[in-house]
Amino acid sequence: MIQRLGMGAMLIASVLAFTGCSGHRTSNGADVNQVASQSQAYLDGYNGNIGVAPATVNNAGSPQEYCQAVVALHPDYTKSEQSDYINGCLDVIGGSDSSTNTSQDAASGDLLTRLNSAGGDDWTEDAFGLQDSPAGFETDYLASGACTLWVFDTGEDATAAAKSGFLDNFSSYGYAWGTDSSGAGVIAMYEDNSSACASDMLTTLGWGTWP
């Protein structure tokens, strides 16, 4: 997260220095009528990034990473609003195939994709979830190795769950909690901190090392 914020700070400075121009279609052809029907956060992401320089996006690494960084301009957003903003941003700069992706798909789908892209283990979304879930719990991802990544709406929700004894039944596991670059709160749980799935979580979350 610290590394991501460093890149975000540079991108925010670039975005604040540029003024977008108006337009009638997105870079990948989204219709303005379709755009207008979206949420205010989506419109902020769309309108706020019209005309952004390709070099600025390239410097971020990818359209997804650029949009995840500039959403920090709106720290008051909820998790859902952050995702809507990212969708609007991606649509206008040509980084998304559709302007109708749901905010939940954008957030959780991206995290699962990044876990699998890390290349250490195979990850899937838990099909059963939790019967008695703590506040803010969204979903959890399971590796074929002994790792689970629990996903929450915010870092505060993840912290509260971790400190409330949520994982007391997993006494043989180690775990750490914090925030993903998308803004989601997470608890990363592992049986062996040197395992392939533990490495996947470190890579995906950008944490570097386990505490």
Side-chain angles (χ1 to χ4, degrees), residues 9-26:
M10 292 186 289
L11 289 171
I12 289 169
S14 298
V15 172
L16 289 174
F18 117 95
T19 301
C21 59
S22 62
H24 294 288
R25 297 186 71 85
T26 67

Side-chain angles (χ1 to χ4, degrees), residues 124-208:
T124 58
E125 185 167 8
D126 186 355
F128 300 99
L130 297 175
Q131 290 184 342
D132 298 315
S133 59
F137 175 77
E138 288 187 3
T139 189
D140 60 289
Y141 300 121
L142 308 172
S144 55
C147 294
T148 303
L149 186 66
W150 311 89
V151 184
F152 296 80
D153 287 333
T154 66
E156 290 78 8
D157 290 331
T159 299
K163 292 183 175 181
S164 70
F166 171 55
L167 299 178
D168 283 355
N169 289 333
F170 299 93
S171 57
S172 63
Y173 287 76
Y175 57 91
W177 62 88
T179 307
D180 176 54
S181 60
S182 67
V186 292
I187 302 176
M189 186 179 75
Y190 51 84
E191 189 171 47
D192 178 358
N193 65 8
S194 63
S195 65
C197 59
S199 177
D200 284 347
M201 292 189 290
L202 284 179
T203 298
T204 298
L205 300 171
W207 287 357

